[in-house]
Amino acid sequence: MTTRTATARYEGFGKDGKGRLDTPSGVLDATPYSFNTRFGDEKGTNPEELIAAAHAGCFTMALSFALARAGFSAGSLETIAAVKLEQQEEGFAITRSDLTLKAEVPGISPEQFDELAAGAKANCPVSKLLNAEVTLTHTLA
């Protein structure tokens, strides 16, 4: 079993508060986040952006491994994940994650690619974690 951690620290509260995110790998190192990085244009990150990065990375890696198991060894995959944060009566909710995939896989049929991509979408650990609608749109070159 693998366990990964991250630490969030927030000083002050509400719109005036400022936060930072840290990970043991050092990829996030006092990375700023706040109301303005989430809803405005201040430099820093936000939870939705981090979830989008995690979902795009997880799905793309899952598909890469599925393609390798199917005997493909060359090509490229590029995925954009768009995580939607919506205001609802009870507050905010992440309601969906839309994956858009651009792929180059020489020698694969569209039917086989569709099957492998759908399996990766359904079975990547981040897709399983998200309790939101997950969609996938892709193009195969």
mmCIF file of all heavy atoms in Angstrom, residues 2-8 21-29 50:
data_model
loop_
_atom_site.group_PDB
_atom_site.id
_atom_site.type_symbol
_atom_site.label_atom_id
_atom_site.label_comp_id
_atom_site.label_asym_id
_atom_site.label_seq_id
_atom_site.Cartn_x
_atom_site.Cartn_y
_atom_site.Cartn_z
ATOM 1 N N THR A 2 0.496 2.235 -0.772
ATOM 2 C CA THR A 2 1.222 3.497 -0.853
ATOM 3 C C THR A 2 0.375 4.590 -0.218
ATOM 4 O O THR A 2 -0.821 4.673 -0.469
ATOM 5 C CB THR A 2 1.495 3.866 -2.316
ATOM 6 O OG1 THR A 2 2.265 2.819 -2.907
ATOM 7 C CG2 THR A 2 2.253 5.170 -2.428
ATOM 8 N N THR A 3 0.998 5.394 0.606
ATOM 9 C CA THR A 3 0.325 6.541 1.199
ATOM 10 C C THR A 3 1.098 7.793 0.826
ATOM 11 O O THR A 3 2.319 7.845 1.005
ATOM 12 C CB THR A 3 0.256 6.422 2.737
ATOM 13 O OG1 THR A 3 -0.430 5.219 3.069
ATOM 14 C CG2 THR A 3 -0.460 7.610 3.350
ATOM 15 N N ARG A 4 0.415 8.768 0.279
ATOM 16 C CA ARG A 4 1.015 10.060 -0.057
ATOM 17 C C ARG A 4 0.357 11.117 0.820
ATOM 18 O O ARG A 4 -0.824 11.011 1.152
ATOM 19 C CB ARG A 4 0.795 10.400 -1.527
ATOM 20 C CG ARG A 4 1.360 9.394 -2.478
ATOM 21 C CD ARG A 4 2.871 9.451 -2.490
ATOM 22 N NE ARG A 4 3.384 8.526 -3.492
ATOM 23 C CZ ARG A 4 4.567 7.988 -3.425
ATOM 24 N NH1 ARG A 4 5.372 8.282 -2.436
ATOM 25 N NH2 ARG A 4 4.963 7.154 -4.356
ATOM 26 N N THR A 5 1.099 12.146 1.167
ATOM 27 C CA THR A 5 0.556 13.177 2.036
ATOM 28 C C THR A 5 0.775 14.563 1.445
ATOM 29 O O THR A 5 1.628 14.758 0.574
ATOM 30 C CB THR A 5 1.213 13.138 3.433
ATOM 31 O OG1 THR A 5 2.614 13.415 3.297
ATOM 32 C CG2 THR A 5 1.005 11.790 4.099
ATOM 33 N N ALA A 6 0.009 15.491 1.934
ATOM 34 C CA ALA A 6 0.172 16.914 1.641
ATOM 35 C C ALA A 6 -0.271 17.663 2.883
ATOM 36 O O ALA A 6 -1.123 17.181 3.639
ATOM 37 C CB ALA A 6 -0.659 17.337 0.441
ATOM 38 N N THR A 7 0.300 18.829 3.087
ATOM 39 C CA THR A 7 -0.053 19.652 4.242
ATOM 40 C C THR A 7 -0.566 20.997 3.760
ATOM 41 O O THR A 7 0.046 21.627 2.900
ATOM 42 C CB THR A 7 1.173 19.874 5.156
ATOM 43 O OG1 THR A 7 1.678 18.599 5.563
ATOM 44 C CG2 THR A 7 0.817 20.708 6.373
ATOM 45 N N ALA A 8 -1.712 21.404 4.312
ATOM 46 C CA ALA A 8 -2.276 22.729 4.029
ATOM 47 C C ALA A 8 -2.234 23.538 5.318
ATOM 48 O O ALA A 8 -2.619 23.053 6.384
ATOM 49 C CB ALA A 8 -3.706 22.596 3.533
ATOM 50 N N LEU A 21 0.529 25.224 0.576
ATOM 51 C CA LEU A 21 0.495 23.774 0.439
ATOM 52 C C LEU A 21 1.916 23.253 0.326
ATOM 53 O O LEU A 21 2.747 23.850 -0.360
ATOM 54 C CB LEU A 21 -0.298 23.369 -0.803
ATOM 55 C CG LEU A 21 -1.760 23.795 -0.821
ATOM 56 C CD1 LEU A 21 -2.361 23.581 -2.201
ATOM 57 C CD2 LEU A 21 -2.549 23.027 0.218
ATOM 58 N N ASP A 22 2.184 22.127 1.006
ATOM 59 C CA ASP A 22 3.495 21.504 0.973
ATOM 60 C C ASP A 22 3.339 19.998 0.782
ATOM 61 O O ASP A 22 2.385 19.400 1.308
ATOM 62 C CB ASP A 22 4.247 21.749 2.290
ATOM 63 C CG ASP A 22 4.520 23.216 2.529
ATOM 64 O OD1 ASP A 22 5.480 23.737 1.932
ATOM 65 O OD2 ASP A 22 3.782 23.839 3.313
ATOM 66 N N THR A 23 4.257 19.412 0.015
ATOM 67 C CA THR A 23 4.297 17.959 -0.131
ATOM 68 C C THR A 23 5.708 17.476 0.160
ATOM 69 O O THR A 23 6.681 18.199 -0.094
ATOM 70 C CB THR A 23 3.893 17.524 -1.557
ATOM 71 O OG1 THR A 23 4.744 18.164 -2.507
ATOM 72 C CG2 THR A 23 2.437 17.857 -1.848
ATOM 73 N N PRO A 24 5.839 16.271 0.693
ATOM 74 C CA PRO A 24 7.174 15.746 0.993
ATOM 75 C C PRO A 24 8.088 15.666 -0.231
ATOM 76 O O PRO A 24 9.301 15.798 -0.099
ATOM 77 C CB PRO A 24 6.892 14.352 1.552
ATOM 78 C CG PRO A 24 5.513 14.440 2.115
ATOM 79 C CD PRO A 24 4.779 15.382 1.183
ATOM 80 N N SER A 25 7.531 15.482 -1.414
ATOM 81 C CA SER A 25 8.364 15.419 -2.624
ATOM 82 C C SER A 25 8.998 16.763 -2.948
ATOM 83 O O SER A 25 9.972 16.824 -3.699
ATOM 84 C CB SER A 25 7.527 14.967 -3.822
ATOM 85 O OG SER A 25 6.603 15.985 -4.193
ATOM 86 N N GLY A 26 8.425 17.842 -2.420
ATOM 87 C CA GLY A 26 8.924 19.178 -2.709
ATOM 88 C C GLY A 26 8.295 19.806 -3.938
ATOM 89 O O GLY A 26 8.572 20.965 -4.249
ATOM 90 N N VAL A 27 7.453 19.077 -4.652
ATOM 91 C CA VAL A 27 6.789 19.655 -5.829
ATOM 92 C C VAL A 27 5.919 20.833 -5.397
ATOM 93 O O VAL A 27 5.893 21.868 -6.060
ATOM 94 C CB VAL A 27 5.977 18.586 -6.580
ATOM 95 C CG1 VAL A 27 5.087 19.206 -7.632
ATOM 96 C CG2 VAL A 27 6.921 17.573 -7.208
ATOM 97 N N LEU A 28 5.217 20.676 -4.301
ATOM 98 C CA LEU A 28 4.520 21.817 -3.699
ATOM 99 C C LEU A 28 5.344 22.214 -2.482
ATOM 100 O O LEU A 28 5.530 21.428 -1.548
ATOM 101 C CB LEU A 28 3.099 21.441 -3.270
ATOM 102 C CG LEU A 28 2.155 20.996 -4.384
ATOM 103 C CD1 LEU A 28 0.796 20.618 -3.799
ATOM 104 C CD2 LEU A 28 1.989 22.071 -5.428
ATOM 105 N N ASP A 29 5.863 23.429 -2.504
ATOM 106 C CA ASP A 29 6.736 23.913 -1.441
ATOM 107 C C ASP A 29 6.312 25.330 -1.103
ATOM 108 O O ASP A 29 6.663 26.267 -1.818
ATOM 109 C CB ASP A 29 8.190 23.855 -1.894
ATOM 110 C CG ASP A 29 9.170 24.292 -0.815
ATOM 111 O OD1 ASP A 29 8.779 24.354 0.371
ATOM 112 O OD2 ASP A 29 10.332 24.577 -1.160
ATOM 113 N N LEU A 50 -5.621 21.268 -8.542
ATOM 114 C CA LEU A 50 -4.845 20.110 -8.101
ATOM 115 C C LEU A 50 -5.585 18.805 -8.385
ATOM 116 O O LEU A 50 -4.972 17.808 -8.789
ATOM 117 C CB LEU A 50 -4.505 20.237 -6.614
ATOM 118 C CG LEU A 50 -3.595 21.420 -6.271
ATOM 119 C CD1 LEU A 50 -3.514 21.606 -4.761
ATOM 120 C CD2 LEU A 50 -2.217 21.241 -6.883
#
